[in-house]
Amino acid sequence: MNKPIFSIIAPIYNEIGNIPELYPRVREVMDQTDRPWELILVDDGSTDGSTEAIRQLAREDDRVRPVIFARNFGHQIAVTAGLDTSRGEAVIIIDADLQDPPEVILDLIEKWREGYEVVYAVREEREGESWFKTATASLFYRLIYRITDVNIPLDTGDFRLMDRKVVSIMNQMREKHRFLRGMSAWVGFKQVGVKYKRKARFTGETKYPLKKMIKLALNAITSFSYFPLQLATYLGFIAAGLSVIAIPVVIILRLTTGTVLLGQATTLIIVLFLGGVQLISLGIIGEYIGRIYDEAKGRPLYIVAEGPESTKNDTE
Ligand code: UDP
Ligand code: MG
């Protein structure tokens, strides 16, 4: 088999209904390029039979290369395994639920041929997503944009094409808590966006409940910004400044009018408020320390139960 020019990576977590649609759509689009390609399907611990569907596809078409995880490791890690496995000159990351239409890959490739090393797809419109998801996502991208040092493009997901140069560098970045779109922006080179309409899911439910979204957001912020850590310093200066102003005010009022300002309730509220601020600051430090601890442990990012070669051996 020829060395592929294009690698498509699709992470799969319980997408049994989408696999039979994803494969032919990708095949049809990629065959138009007239270049060898591979489709890497990373099974992120599915329990709905997706694993067997992936094995079956790999048996029928040796351009399909499965990576089957020992358990669920999460979307970003699944894509990372795909990047590690990929061999193409250009690597395309796509969701398995067809929210990112495979047809857009051709537009990404066109920009790559013009000489861009990262071509990210920008969501111009979103179909079939709740206002809550759209609003929180939009808020999140803008927050990240403001507080991080890397210019992470607005309204882009992981749907993108990356040149081999970029992928090789990404593959050296072995951080445990990953925010791939930030990492690929961090690498640099020539980057460009291509607009597209994000579709509704073909079938099934989102695998990103609020909890996972918050985790991703925290990973994004802690990976690319110290701002939350500095927040405690700012709040400390504000609180200390207020108390410096308050002391003479209280003394003067007491001496001139005899008013006693602080009652029990006020004291209680202030103690609770400052106690809260301190605990939140500790929690923020904890978020960073936990991540440092994970790095220090140095565990592998993921565990592969069946790699692309082992499935192929079954059939030979
Ligand atoms: N996914 C995964 N592991 C997970 C969660 C999601 O591999 O733990 C995959 C999922 O199968 C899909 C992609 O990541 O191909 C994006 O997930 P989803 O469509 O649920 O997210 P949304 O589009 O709703 O943000
Ligand atoms: Mg989706």
Side-chain angles (χ1 to χ4, degrees):
M1 192 175 124
N2 292 342
K3 190 176 169 296
I5 299 293
F6 299 113
S7 302
I8 321 293
I9 300 172
I12 293 179
Y13 181 47
N14 295 339
E15 305 282 8
I16 185 72
N18 294 320
I19 296 172
E21 176 76 6
L22 175 73
Y23 165 69
R25 291 263 297 269
V26 168
R27 188 185 55 196
E28 195 181 323
V29 167
M30 293 318 291
D31 282 346
Q32 289 174 39
T33 64
D34 265 338
R35 288 276 183 278
W37 53 272
E38 62 179 3
L39 172 63
I40 300 172
L41 297 176
V42 185
D43 174 35
D44 188 12
S46 299
T47 51
D48 67 342
S50 297
T51 318
E52 192 40 47
I54 294 170
R55 284 195 197 109
Q56 184 57 35
L57 278 181
R59 272 182 229 123
E60 287 164 10
D61 183 344
D62 63 3
R63 293 172 297 187
V64 176
R65 302 178 68 217
V67 177
I68 294 164
F69 277 0
R71 63 167 169 87
N72 178 256
F73 281 89
H75 170 223
Q76 299 286 299
I77 300 290
V79 174
T80 303
L83 292 176
D84 290 338
T85 313
S86 69
R87 302 171 299 185
E89 286 309 309
V91 179
I92 297 119
I93 303 169
I94 192 167
D95 277 359
D97 60 1
L98 296 152
Q99 282 196 281
D100 309 328
E103 295 69 31
V104 178
I105 294 177
L106 294 176
D107 302 337
L108 304 182
I109 290 177
E110 200 181 301
K111 286 283 172 200
W112 176 67
R113 290 200 165 124
E114 283 171 25
Y116 292 98
E117 278 98 354
V118 176
V119 189
Y120 49 85
V122 185
R123 300 160 179 177
E124 196 181 32
E125 218 176 87
R126 285 164 169 254
E127 271 176 20
E129 279 180 311
S130 69
W131 69 265
F132 180 75
K133 179 133 189 171
T134 318
T136 45
S138 164
L139 186 78
F140 164 67
Y141 289 126
R142 273 143 196 90
L143 177 76
I144 296 277
Y145 191 78
R146 284 201 70 128
I147 69 170
T148 57
D149 317 325
V150 191
N151 281 344
I152 301 169
L154 292 173
D155 302 317
T156 55
D158 287 316
F159 187 23
R160 61 187 56 225
L161 177 151
M162 296 187 288
D163 187 85
R164 172 56 46 194
K165 270 185 273 185
V166 174
V167 174
S168 305
I169 297 166
M170 298 262 292
N171 288 351
Q172 289 169 32
M173 298 159 73
R174 303 314 286 175
E175 57 215 67
K176 303 283 180 291
H177 298 272
R178 304 170 80 76
F179 185 59
L180 292 168
R181 47 201 103 149
M183 290 163 65
S184 85
W186 180 88
V187 170
F189 290 109
K190 285 201 294 298
Q191 310 216 353
V192 70
V194 167
K195 289 198 173 129
Y196 81 112
K197 287 195 179 68
R198 188 155 160 95
K199 296 273 187 269
R201 247 178 180 276
F202 184 67
T203 60
E205 298 267 288
T206 173
K207 307 299 176 316
Y208 258 96
L210 188 63
K211 205 174 132 202
K212 274 195 190 167
M213 281 190 1
I214 293 174
K215 208 172 134 193
L216 182 70
L218 283 177
N219 285 342
I221 294 169
T222 51
S223 299
F224 291 98
S225 171
Y226 297 134
F227 179 73
L229 288 173
Q230 293 161 337
L231 216 53
T233 319
Y234 301 143
L235 287 173
F237 272 113
I238 293 172
L242 279 178
S243 74
V244 170
I245 299 167
I247 293 165
V249 171
V250 172
I251 294 173
I252 290 167
L253 278 180
R254 179 83 173 93
L255 292 179
T256 53
T257 64
T259 337
V260 181
L261 268 184
L262 283 183
Q264 242 180 13
T266 330
T267 317
L268 190 69
I269 288 167
I270 291 176
V271 168
L272 280 180
F273 176 75
L274 281 183
V277 167
Q278 284 171 348
L279 286 176
I280 292 169
S281 307
L282 268 183
I284 292 175
I285 300 173
E287 289 293 334
Y288 283 84
I289 294 182
R291 284 169 175 77
I292 300 172
Y293 182 46
D294 280 340
E295 294 299 335
K297 280 190 283 197
R299 290 185 186 165
L301 282 179
Y302 52 84
I303 297 161
V304 175
E306 275 170 56
E309 313 329 318
S310 64
T311 311
K312 208 178 284 160
N313 289 343
D314 287 349
T315 57
E316 276 164 6

